[in-house]
Amino acid sequence: MRLLSPRRGAALEFARTRAARASTPWREASWCALDLELTGLDPRSNDIIAVGAVPIEDGRVVLGEAVYTLVRSSRRSEHGAVLVHKLRLADLADAPPLQEAMELVLEVLAGRVPVFHTAAVERSFLAPLFRRRWVRLPAAADTEILGRLWLRERDGVTPSWLGLAEVSSMLGQPGETPHHALGDALTTAQAFIALASHLNATGPQTVGSLLAAGDRLRGPQRFGSG
């Protein structure tokens, strides 16, 4: 695992590096699971205070290239948030600023397809930060959606929502330290690999098919034979 040591010009490098095409078989693509810890869930009034990222190559976690950093903030976490991630202002006092953390995110995501769990939350914080650097946050795979799609194909029943720990448990995985950006990024990476493999067993999966899992989930439900 690498701690924060970003290179300058990460946005330019990110813009120059193309991720895999939609038709690329999923195991041949480069992916990166990301997780954020936040002071709250509203991007207009809350901050990112920790980032974890775990690359995936050839369908395997590349733990030696994982990155993690705390992020300095002057905002106190909302009560519910601090009970979850246990990070206080004092813990962030010596952390690097958001600018440096974003350089790291851009660096680790260059040429890779993002993977989130419940992607809407991370996207709401990251997309504006990407736009300020004149780049666009790429479309991402979402292990929450992939988990529901897998259960629908397996059992004929679609849960309304799945937490990361629930997905990990159903997959028979131990799960890493919860509510820690690096631990959750690693759990997300492991869940993504397992879910993509399960879905691939019933039909070849590509980058495009995994990114479009939400559209497939909204399609007609196929009930199991019992």
Side-chain angles (χ1 to χ4, degrees), residues 56-218:
I56 301 164
E57 300 286 349
D58 301 318
R60 297 181 179 181
V61 166
V62 186
L63 197 54
E65 295 184 22
V67 294
Y68 172 72
T69 183
L70 295 175
V71 183
R72 192 184 312 155
S73 173
S74 60
R75 283 196 177 105
R76 292 186 182 277
S77 292
E78 294 177 2
H79 181 68
V82 77
L83 290 178
V84 170
H85 55 58
K86 308 291 195 300
L87 292 172
R88 306 160 301 159
L89 279 179
D91 300 317
L92 309 174
D94 296 325
L98 181 62
Q99 170 68 26
E100 291 185 26
M102 280 304 301
E103 291 288 303
L104 181 67
V105 170
L106 288 163
E107 181 182 327
V108 75
L109 267 185
R112 294 182 169 120
V113 184
V115 181
F116 301 117
H117 188 83
T118 314
V121 175
E122 271 79 6
R123 290 196 70 88
S124 68
F125 280 83
L126 290 175
L129 297 174
F130 272 60
R131 286 196 296 269
R132 289 175 199 168
R133 290 157 179 80
W134 301 99
V135 291
R136 183 172 61 87
L137 178 63
D142 188 334
T143 50
E144 194 275 328
I145 290 174
L146 292 174
R148 288 193 286 142
L149 181 62
W150 167 59
L151 288 178
R152 188 178 81 169
E153 293 192 356
R154 189 190 71 172
D155 303 333
V157 177
T158 309
S160 59
W161 185 78
L162 290 172
L164 180 58
E166 188 178 3
V167 172
S168 181
S169 177
M170 288 189 301
L171 291 167
Q173 297 175 331
E176 304 299 327
T177 304
H179 309 304
H180 181 284
L182 184 59
D184 282 344
L186 181 53
T187 300
T188 299
Q190 293 168 334
F192 170 76
I193 293 167
L195 290 167
S197 298
H198 283 309
L199 293 169
N200 197 74
T202 59
Q205 299 298 309
T206 63
V207 170
S209 71
L210 295 179
L211 295 184
D215 295 333
R216 295 158 65 188
L217 197 60
R218 287 187 287 272

